[in-house]
Amino acid sequence: MSEQQLSAEHIDVLLTAAVAAPSMHNTQPWRFEVSGHVIDLFLDGSRTLPAEDPTGRAMRIAAGAATFNLRCAAASLGYGTWLGEPEVHAVLDLVLDSDLREIHDWHRRAERARRPDSGTARRPVAEFLSTKEQS
């Protein structure tokens, strides 16, 4: 794994995607810490809703949605992600990964084959898989 720093531009893209996640009453009950290529997501206890969410379930679901958005944004930037320690907080390790880019390129080719020239070519997924296995 490479120990690269995330650029300020990439951090902005990643966190903008994360905070767009839905949360009860838009409380955004999370906070982020960025260190090198690692982004930690912590639940922010000061943003709890004791009457509406006494068990904190909705807060955890919102944090999961923020993590999901962050991981989607990371993939769009060409980063692989690793999620660890979900019981304590979400640790998202972002690493540029050439294999991941190859997978994304394959998905793009499959999507273009499925929808050439804005039309829809309906082909079974198995055809795409057999094409990938041959290459």
Side-chain angles (χ1 to χ4, degrees), residues 39 41 64 67-68 71 80-86 89-93:
I39 297 177
L41 180 146
T67 301
F68 177 78
R71 293 183 82 183
T81 60
W82 176 82
L83 180 64
E85 301 181 43
H89 61 278
V91 177
L92 197 61
D93 191 354

Side-chain angles (χ1 to χ4, degrees), residues 7 11 20 22 24-27 34 51 55 66 73-75 77 90 96 103 105 113 117 123 125 127:
S7 71
I11 291 170
M24 183 180 269
H25 298 297
N26 199 28
T27 55
V34 180
T55 64
L77 293 172
L96 278 174
I103 291 167
D105 289 344
D117 301 326
R123 294 173 42 199
V125 171
E127 289 181 31

Side-chain angles (χ1 to χ4, degrees), residues 62-130:
T67 301
F68 177 78
N69 282 7
L70 205 153
R71 293 183 82 183
C72 289
S76 76
L77 293 172
Y79 291 100
T81 60
W82 176 82
L83 180 64
E85 301 181 43
E87 293 302 316
V88 180
H89 61 278
V91 177
L92 197 61
D93 191 354
L94 296 111
V95 180
L96 278 174
D97 185 339
S98 60
D99 290 337
L100 182 70
R101 286 186 181 180
E102 180 182 318
I103 291 167
H104 287 297
D105 289 344
W106 175 78
H107 282 287
R108 283 189 205 105
R109 285 193 311 272
E111 184 64 21
R112 276 194 300 269
R114 194 173 69 82
R115 292 188 292 136
D117 301 326
S118 76
T120 303
R122 302 209 183 261
R123 294 173 42 199
V125 171
E127 289 181 31
F128 293 115
L129 294 176
S130 63

